[in-house]
Amino acid sequence: MASSLTAAYPWTTAPLISCAPMRLIANASLAATVSLADGLGFIGAGSDISTLASELSNARDILSKANLPSPTGVLPIGVGFLLWGAPLKDTLAILSKPENIPAAVWLFAPRQPEDLKDWAEGIRSATSNKSKIWIQVTSVQEALAATKLAQPDVLVIQGTDAGGHGAAQGAGIISLVPEAIDAITDLCKTSSTPLPHFVATGGISDGRGVAAAIVLGAQGICLGTRYLAATEATIAPGYRDAVLRASDGGVSTIRSSVYDQLRGTTEWPAGYGGRGVLNASFRDHEAGVKFEDNKKLYEEAVESGDKGWEGERARLTTYAGTAIGLVTKIESAENITREVRDAANKLLLPGLRASL
Amino acid sequence: MASSLTAAYPWTTAPLISCAPMRLIANASLAATVSLADGLGFIGAGSDISTLASELSNARDILSKANLPSPTGVLPIGVGFLLWGAPLKDTLAILSKPENIPAAVWLFAPRQPEDLKDWAEGIRSATSNKSKIWIQVTSVQEALAATKLAQPDVLVIQGTDAGGHGAAQGAGIISLVPEAIDAITDLCKTSSTPLPHFVATGGISDGRGVAAAIVLGAQGICLGTRYLAATEATIAPGYRDAVLRASDGGVSTIRSSVYDQLRGTTEWPAGYGGRGVLNASFRDHEAGVKFEDNKKLYEEAVESGDKGWEGERARLTTYAGTAIGLVTKIESAENITREVRDAANKLLLPGLRASL
C-alpha cells in the first residue's frame, strides 16, 4: 500500500464514503449520486446480471454530464456481485467493454473461497487491471484467506451490525476491524502479498460512526442502511417508511435466515443470515408456526403492498442494520454522503485524515 | 452534566479507563491497581456480598499506601452489583460504613426496572450522596428507563460484543452508543432529568477501541476481557490461557445461556445471555446432546481442572468478548490501563480529550 485509498479514486474526498452494493436497491442513480458527492457509489448487481448493462449505461449517462476527473476509461463507480449466483463469464463479457469498466468491483459470498481468485483474476484481466478488486469479509479468517487467494486492493470488513446479508455469527467492527487489520498487516509483512486498503462497514449511519471506523484503522467506510432513505434508492415506500420508523436496532432488528426462506431466496451458501427489522414473520417462526402457514401469511402481505410493512403484523422483509435508529429522514444521497463525511472530519486528527 | 467525567474522580486521567466488575474475577487487587494507574477499578461483588467487606478492606489496605487524592472519605474504587441477586439492605449496611464508601456503585440486571430506583436512592442515602451511581444498560429503551427511574451519574452502554452477561440480543457500540446518547440527551433537554455521563463497553481491548468509543460520544470506557489477562485478576490459569489462545472473536465466541445452565447459574432474569469461547459444551448443546449428558461431561471437565479448558474438547466456561483476539499477553493491570489510555490519546483531537 504505497498511497492513500482516495488516491486510487481521484474524484473522492477523505474519508472515502461508499454505498453498499445493495441488491435491487443500489441502482445507477444512487451509485452515481454518491460518486458525484465525492464518494464511491456501488451498483448492486448481486446474483443477477440481467440488468447490469443497462444500469451501467444509465450510470454513464448521469456521470458523463458531470465530467468527474476519474482515471481515463474508467467509470467512477463500482459494481457489487454475489459470487454464489453471478455468472463469471457473462459478467466479464459486460465489464470488459471499454465503456463499462467500473473503478471497482466488489466480491462477496463465494461458494468456496477459491472462487475469489477466479473472479479477481478474471476481472483484472478483462479490464486491463483498471477495475480495483474489493472483497467483503466477515471474520479474521476470511480476511486472511481472501488476501492470500486474491490479493484484493480493498478488504471490506463487515461487522455483524450490518443490515442484509453477513455471517450468521460474527463480531461488530469495534473488535473485528482492529484485529483483522493487525492480522493482514502481519501477513503482508511476512510474505510478498501486497497490503490492501481497509474499508469498514456494519452499524455506521452517521459521522460519529465513520470517524470511529477510521480511528479503528479503516481508511474508508461503507454505508448501507442510511442510503435506504436516499431519494435515489429503488425501494418500496412501505420498506423505506419501516426503516424511518424503527429505532433501537439491537432490539428491533435480528439476523436470521427466515426472511430469505419466506422470500424464496434460498441459494445463499451456509453460514450467512440477513439482518432485518424483527417483525411478525420472525415472531411466528420463533413461536413454531409451520413454514407453510408463515409463507402463506407472507404472501398475503406481499399482495397487500406497502401495508405489508405496517403495524404489529408487519411481515415483509425489511433488511436493515442496527444503526437503523440513526436514520430518520429521506434525503438525497448527495446530502447523506457530504454530511457524514463532513461530520466525521470534525472528529478526526488532521494528520490521520491526511493519510486516508 | 456541568463538568467532565474525570472531574468526578479526581485521581483519574482522561479518557477514564475502568475495569468491569467481573463477578469472582475483579477483586480488590485488580480494582485498586486500575485506580492506582489513574483509572477507576471496580470490584465485582455480583449477586453475592459475603466477601464484600473483606474485599473492601483489602482494597483499603492497598490504596491507603498510595495516598490517592480521592474525594474526602471515599474509597477511589467502585463496586458492581447484580440486582437480581444482591440483597439491598445488607449491601447498604456494608457500604454505609464510613471506611467502606466507594466512589462509584455499578448496578446491572434488575429483576424489574423499578429496582434501579430503590438501589440508587438507597445508596445515595446510605453514602450521603458520596457514591456515584453507574447503571449498565444494553439498549436505548433500557437507557431511557434507567435514566427516568434513577437519574444515574453514569450510564454504562454495553454493546453485544461484550464478554460475560449482556442482552441475549443487541447491537454493538458502533450504533448503540450514538443512538443511546442522542435519546438520553433529548430526554434530558425536555425534562428536569440531569444528563448523565456515558461510558462505553463491549468489544474494546486496546487504544483504538477506546478512541473509537470516545469518538462515538462516550466520555469514558470500560474493559473486561483485556483485564482477564491482568496479573491481579482472580482467574484459573486454564481460563486465562484459553483467553490468550483464542482469536477471531466473532467466530470463536458465542452469546448463549447454555454456559450458565451447565454451571448452575440459573437465577439470571430472562433476556440475558453470556458470551464465552465457543467450546464442546456449546457444540454438544447445539447438536442436541441431552442436558443431563452435557452436564455430566461438564462436571468431569471441572474435575480435570485446568485441562477442562484445553483442546478441541474444552468444556469449561470461558466468558470473554469478541475482542479476545486482541488479548495476547499477561501483564499488570497498571500496564494495561496506562497503555490503552496512552494509545487512545494519540488518536484523539486535543479538544475532544480535554472535554473528558
Side-chain angles (χ1 to χ4, degrees), chain A residues 225 239-253 276-278 318 320-328, chain B residues 179:
Chain A
T225 304
Y239 183 171
R240 190 193 54 206
D241 292 349
V243 170
L244 294 172
R245 278 195 307 269
S247 61
D248 210 357
V251 175
S252 65
T253 72
V277 173
L278 199 164
T318 313
T322 66
I324 194 168
L326 297 168
V327 183
T328 55
Chain B
E179 188 184 349

Side-chain angles (χ1 to χ4, degrees), chain B residues 18 32 34-35 49 63 95 118 162 174 201 212 226-227 240 304 306:
Chain B
S18 61
V34 171
S35 288
I49 62 165
L63 292 162
L95 295 187
D118 296 341
I174 187 74
T201 194
R226 178 74 184 264
Y227 284 115
R240 190 193 55 206
S304 74
D306 287 331

Side-chain angles (χ1 to χ4, degrees), chain A residues 140 170-180 182 216, chain B residues 159-164 173 201-210 222-229 243-255 275 277 319-329:
Chain A
V140 178
I173 64 168
I174 187 73
S175 61
L176 179 58
V177 162
E179 188 185 349
D182 286 354
L216 289 170
Chain B
T160 191
D161 291 290
I173 64 170
T201 194
I204 305 169
S205 272
D206 70 5
R208 291 169 290 187
V210 171
C222 173
L223 304 176
T225 304
R226 178 74 184 264
Y227 284 115
L228 293 175
V243 170
L244 294 172
R245 277 195 307 270
S247 62
D248 211 357
V251 175
S252 66
T253 73
I254 191 89
R255 190 173 289 285
R275 182 182 289 280
V277 173
Y319 281 136
T322 65
I324 194 169
L326 297 168
V327 183
T328 56
K329 61 174 187 274

Side-chain angles (χ1 to χ4, degrees), chain B residues 162-222:
Chain B
H165 287 84
Q169 180 199 339
I173 64 170
I174 187 74
S175 60
L176 179 58
V177 162
E179 188 184 349
I181 289 176
D182 285 354
I184 299 300
T185 304
D186 279 354
L187 169 72
C188 296
K189 260 186 203 159
T190 56
S191 68
S192 59
T193 312
L195 186 67
H197 286 106
F198 301 102
V199 165
T201 194
I204 305 169
S205 272
D206 70 5
R208 291 169 290 187
V210 171
I214 298 300
V215 163
L216 289 169
Q219 284 109 23
I221 67 94
C222 173

Side-chain angles (χ1 to χ4, degrees), chain B residues 19-20 22 25-35 41-42 227 230 232-234 333:
Chain B
C19 78
M22 298 175 282
I25 294 169
N27 56 22
S29 174
L30 179 62
T33 305
V34 171
S35 288
F42 279 85
Y227 284 115
E232 294 84 356
T234 303

Side-chain angles (χ1 to χ4, degrees), chain A residues 268-283:
Chain A
W268 277 84
Y272 293 95
R275 182 181 289 280
V277 173
L278 199 164
N279 64 19
S281 291
F282 180 82
R283 286 196 300 272

Side-chain angles (χ1 to χ4, degrees), chain B residues 115-201:
Chain B
D115 295 347
L116 292 170
K117 181 176 161 74
D118 296 341
W119 274 78
E121 287 179 355
I123 289 161
R124 284 176 167 138
S125 170
T127 68
S128 306
N129 284 313
K130 287 184 177 170
S131 295
K132 303 283 184 191
I133 304 296
W134 291 40
I135 298 181
Q136 178 172 315
V137 296
T138 65
S139 67
V140 178
Q141 63 195 34
E142 275 187 18
L144 288 166
T147 304
K148 288 176 193 166
L149 283 163
Q151 293 87 49
D153 299 289
V154 170
L155 265 186
V156 182
I157 304 171
Q158 184 199 33
T160 191
D161 291 290
H165 287 84
Q169 180 199 339
I173 64 170
I174 187 74
S175 60
L176 179 58
V177 162
E179 188 184 349
I181 289 176
D182 285 354
I184 299 300
T185 304
D186 279 354
L187 169 72
C188 296
K189 260 186 203 159
T190 56
S191 68
S192 59
T193 312
L195 186 67
H197 286 106
F198 301 102
V199 165
T201 194

